[in-house]
Amino acid sequence: MASLFSIFIGMALINNFILSRFLGLCPFFGVSKKLGNAVSMGVAVTLVMFLASVVTWVIHDYILVPFEAEYMQIVIYILVIASLVQIVEMTIKRTNLSLYNSLGIYLPLITTNCAVLGVTLINTQETYSLVESMVSSIGGGVGFIIVLSIMSGIRERLDLADAPEAMKGLPIAFITAMLLSITFFGFGGIV
Amino acid sequence: MTRWRKDFLKGIIVSNPVFVLVLGLCPTLAISTSIDNALGMTMGVTIVLLGSNIIISAIRKIIPNSVRIPVFIVIIASFVTIVSLTFQAYFPDIYESLGIFLPLIVVNCIVLGRAEVFASKNSVFYSIADALGVAIGFMLALLIISFIRQLLGTGALTIFGNELFSLPGLVEHPLSIFIQAPGAFLVIALLMALFKHTGVIE
């Protein structure tokens, strides 16, 4: 139990996907100024991360390892993620149209989000069990949602801030990310 | 030949993948801690970019439009597997320090972006020019960032085990924040602002 907790905290806060592992930076810098949209995006990513972790764990342990086909790992994992994104998109479209309308535009982009492929590769690298993989993917997703929400709030204020001409836009967003990243260093001592 | 040169040159500065198009940020920030890593990453991306651009432009007329993205991804993933296995066998040190960022070339927006924007619409000849130009642009950006981070973060400049020079004072007390995560954000922010201010990029 203790190890599951430390995996969760480690993925969510200490080794946060965006601020310390540099995974999933594109949605971070492109994040919407509306908090609701940022959270929707985060939830969609977390959902795909969770499903991808489970499916790739089963494929890795029951197909790739017994048949000694681990060299196929990268191709198989990206195909699993691409198909999962399609399935999730179709399912949401059929069952909940209003959710689809708010999530819709983000879903296709998740395939090329490195955080999703990243979490499956980290799970394999760390030889996590099925339960550990689930916890690590949820932890990663929660960390992703937290940072995305913080950034969406700051983005709103950044537009009003009187930054030097050359710093406007992306550079000031990077500086903000730096300060957030230093803040998250503080979580280092938790576990 | 003039068109070949134009396609080659545009990726280096005018549409530099990192500073102008802001693509492939994740590997750029994550592995720019040392020049060795930057060179290893550049080598990996160059092989994948060149290979995928050549194959995709060669078969662009027989790829059905509706499934083109999955086809691109499978082609790119195959090249990434080749690069990953080759690095593991011949450059184990670089393979270790690049970690998961080597397999993550699959989802690097630069590679997929060139496939979608250029290789799927142009002939093999020009796609090679495009791939080489973008690869050099990526290398330049990585080298600038990793030069600053390694120099300030460790106080010395070391390439493949040979120490070129060191800054007295900094070696004993390096600004280690620069090789940690916040340093990456700080360096790219200041570089981008500098390039914008001096008019190197729009």
Side-chain angles (χ1 to χ4, degrees):
Chain A
M1 202 55 210
S3 77
L4 287 184
F5 182 71
S6 64
I7 290 176
F8 181 85
I9 295 292
M11 293 294 273
L13 298 175
I14 302 168
N15 292 317
N16 185 281
F17 266 130
I18 296 174
L19 296 175
S20 121
R21 288 189 202 261
F22 300 111
L23 294 170
L25 287 176
C26 307
F28 174 65
F29 286 111
V31 69
S32 150
K33 282 175 216 154
K34 280 190 186 147
L35 183 66
N37 288 355
V39 173
S40 302
M41 171 74 188
V43 170
V45 170
T46 310
L47 180 65
V48 177
M49 270 162 115
F50 178 74
L51 294 173
S53 294
V54 173
V55 175
T56 54
W57 187 87
V58 172
I59 290 181
H60 183 264
D61 277 44
Y62 287 97
I63 299 176
L64 295 186
V65 174
F67 290 97
E68 293 178 353
E70 281 142 307
Y71 61 90
M72 288 294 285
Q73 193 185 346
I74 303 170
V75 180
I76 302 281
Y77 281 18
I78 191 72
L79 284 178
V80 165
I81 293 168
S83 344
L84 273 177
V85 170
Q86 283 284 322
I87 293 170
V88 169
E89 193 180 350
M90 285 189 293
T91 316
I92 296 181
K93 199 174 182 179
R94 280 286 179 83
T95 53
N96 192 337
L97 202 62
S98 66
L99 184 65
Y100 176 78
N101 287 334
S102 62
L103 283 182
I105 45 169
Y106 307 115
L107 282 167
L109 292 175
I110 294 175
T111 310
T112 53
N113 185 334
C114 28
V116 181
L117 186 59
V119 77
T120 61
L121 290 169
I122 290 169
N123 289 341
T124 309
Q125 203 176 35
E126 304 276 336
T127 59
Y128 282 156
S129 69
L130 182 58
V131 178
E132 285 171 334
S133 300
M134 287 173 170
V135 171
S136 106
S137 67
I138 295 175
V142 168
F144 196 76
I145 298 174
I146 293 173
V147 175
L148 231 52
S149 319
I150 296 176
M151 193 60 182
S152 90
I154 296 177
R155 273 287 296 269
E156 206 172 12
R157 300 294 183 94
L158 271 187
D159 285 357
L160 303 170
D162 186 21
E165 195 54 43
M167 295 294 286
K168 276 190 180 140
L170 263 181
I172 198 76
F174 278 118
I175 297 281
T176 314
M178 179 200 74
L179 295 172
L180 281 178
S181 174
I182 294 177
T183 318
F184 270 63
F185 268 4
F187 291 118
I190 294 185
V191 178
Chain B
M1 210 56 201
T2 46
R3 191 183 150 206
W4 198 90
R5 249 186 65 184
K6 215 181 96 207
D7 283 339
F8 172 70
L9 288 176
K10 73 174 179 334
I12 300 177
I13 292 175
V14 183
S15 22
N16 185 288
V18 176
F19 288 119
V20 182
L21 303 178
V22 205
L23 293 176
L25 274 183
C26 307
T28 307
L29 296 182
I31 58 89
S32 57
T33 48
S34 74
I35 302 243
D36 296 3
N37 282 353
L39 290 174
M41 190 69 193
T42 308
M43 204 159 93
V45 168
T46 309
I47 299 169
V48 174
L49 194 56
L50 200 57
S52 65
N53 254 20
I54 292 174
I55 300 287
I56 289 167
S57 60
I59 60 170
R60 68 185 189 281
K61 286 181 183 134
I62 56 168
I63 301 177
N65 200 41
S66 52
V67 293
R68 66 181 194 286
I69 300 287
V71 173
F72 296 164
I73 290 180
V74 173
I75 292 171
I76 294 168
S78 315
F79 276 104
V80 173
T81 307
I82 296 169
V83 168
S84 173
L85 292 175
T86 314
F87 274 37
Q88 198 174 2
Y90 295 101
F91 315 106
D93 295 347
I94 296 180
Y95 178 81
E96 278 294 314
S97 61
L98 291 183
I100 61 165
F101 284 94
L102 200 55
L104 280 177
I105 298 177
V106 179
V107 284
N108 188 322
C109 321
I110 299 177
V111 182
L112 195 63
R114 290 339 284 172
E116 168 76 3
V117 173
F118 200 93
S120 60
K121 297 185 182 78
N122 292 281
S123 68
V124 177
F125 186 61
Y126 297 117
S127 296
I128 292 175
D130 181 71
L132 289 177
V134 170
I136 291 174
F138 183 64
M139 181 179 74
L140 274 181
L142 272 189
L143 283 181
I144 296 172
I145 298 171
S146 56
F147 173 80
I148 298 174
R149 289 185 68 192
Q150 194 184 2
L151 194 60
L152 295 178
T154 63
L157 205 62
T158 315
I159 298 179
F160 297 121
N162 310 309
E163 190 176 304
L164 297 186
F165 64 89
S166 59
L167 297 174
L170 260 189
V171 185
E172 295 85 36
H173 306 287
L175 307 167
S176 56
I177 190 104
F178 277 95
I179 47 172
Q180 286 168 317
F185 289 120
L186 179 64
V187 170
I188 196 166
L190 294 180
L191 280 175
M192 228 172 221
L194 177 72
F195 290 150
K196 238 176 164 179
H197 187 68
T198 51
V200 178
I201 59 170
E202 288 291 304

